Each structure stands twice: as C-alpha cells, then as structure tokens.
Amino acid sequence: MKLLKKLPLLALLAILAFSCSTDSIDDKADTLVENLIVPPTKTIEIEILELINNHRLSKGLNPLDDLKIVKSVAYSHTDYMVDKNKVSHDNFFSRSNYLKANAGAKKVSENVAFGYSSAASVVKAWIKSDGHRATIEGDFTNFNVSAEQCADGKWYYTNIFIKK
C-alpha cells in the first residue's frame, strides 16, 4: 500500500526529470536568423565581393551574384561574432538550413575572419588558406559578405556562398 501512495510522486519526478525545455541550443540558434535585416552595404564589402569575383574569373570560374538574403544571414552572424567577441562558425547549420529553406540553396558554405583592416588583406588571407580558397573557388552561384567593426575598431567578416 505504501508503494501505491508513492507511485504518483515517482511518476511526477520521472516526468520532470525527462522533460525537455523548448529553449534548446538549436532553438536559440534559429532565433539568430529569424529577424533578419539587410544593412547598408559598406565600401569594404563591395571590395571583398569584387576581389573574390576577380579571383574566380582569373581561375576560369563563373562570377557569383550577390543576394540580399545571403547578406542578411551573413550580417546576423557577423553581429553575433561582434557580440561574443570571437570569430566562429557557431550555428552554421542554422544559417545553412535557413538559406536552403528560404533562398533555394542546395549547398552552403562560409568563410569567417577577424582583424584584417582591408578588403585586400582579408581576401588574400582566405586565398592563402586551402580550406577558405576551396570555398571561394567552389561550385556556387551566389554569395554575399558582412563586415562589422567591434568597439575597438577591429573588423569581423562573414562571407557566405550558396549554390542554387
């Protein structure tokens, strides 16, 4: 009889112990791309896009078209890196899934960087890196970039590439 009295309490404890929060890591990551904005394009961003397309053309590859939705997703991540004060690919799969669902992307890749003070220096660094160069020279159709300065004036960059 004592067991029957304790059974409801044990059931309640089991439910509480195994329930999950709706604020999972993935849900928080998804909020990073929910309220997207497209900030005005900066000169440094235009220069980065031109340098990348010039590099692609020099290799016999198609130039990429910029796409506003890609810019907004890149901006959300650059803003995130500035807020966290760290360069990262955090939440990449959320950005990729968003672009696949909302921009018709079949394939998504990104390059990030921190600290470079000019378009030429960041693109040169990406081209010197095998992995970053592979993204720049990859089979993509569209791209865009976001460059934002943190409080101490250092630049953070997110360059996203998609294939439609």
Side-chain angles (χ1 to χ4, degrees):
M1 191 68 172
K2 288 182 182 181
L3 181 61
L4 277 165
K5 289 182 180 179
K6 292 182 181 178
L7 193 56
L9 179 60
L10 288 172
L12 180 61
L13 287 173
I15 290 170
L16 291 175
F18 294 107
S19 68
C20 59
S21 168
T22 58
D23 289 332
S24 72
I25 292 171
D26 289 296
D27 290 341
K28 288 178 184 174
D30 289 340
T31 63
L32 296 174
V33 292
E34 281 179 0
N35 299 314
L36 297 175
I37 60 169
V38 181
T41 303
K42 297 173 185 68
T43 301
I44 193 169
E45 294 167 336
I46 294 167
E47 292 171 353
I48 290 168
L49 298 177
E50 288 175 353
L51 288 167
I52 288 172
N53 268 340
N54 289 343
H55 175 79
R56 289 178 61 86
L57 289 168
S58 76
K59 299 293 183 186
L61 301 168
N62 63 301
L64 304 177
D65 293 323
D66 62 82
L67 199 58
K68 286 188 188 301
I69 191 169
V70 175
K71 167 78 169 185
S72 63
V73 173
Y75 173 74
S76 74
H77 184 60
T78 306
D79 192 47
Y80 168 87
M81 291 191 300
V82 168
D83 285 347
K84 297 291 183 186
N85 197 29
K86 73 172 190 167
V87 67
S88 74
H89 290 285
D90 292 354
N91 309 310
F92 171 73
F93 291 107
S94 291
R95 289 188 296 287
S96 176
N97 290 337
Y98 183 87
L99 290 167
K100 288 174 181 174
N102 295 284
K106 306 265 186 266
K107 177 178 157 183
V108 180
S109 190
E110 75 179 11
N111 287 339
V112 296
F114 166 75
Y116 297 93
S117 60
S118 70
S121 64
V122 71
V123 172
K124 184 177 179 181
W126 281 332
I127 289 171
K128 281 187 174 183
S129 160
D130 291 340
H132 294 100
R133 185 177 59 255
T135 297
I136 289 171
E137 296 175 358
D139 182 21
F140 297 104
T141 55
N142 302 85
F143 71 154
N144 219 314
V145 66
S146 172
E148 297 296 324
Q149 287 181 293
C150 62
D152 67 3
K154 292 186 180 161
W155 287 94
Y156 284 84
Y157 304 90
T158 304
N159 191 192
I160 298 179
F161 300 77
I162 69 169
K163 179 178 181 168
K164 285 188 165 198

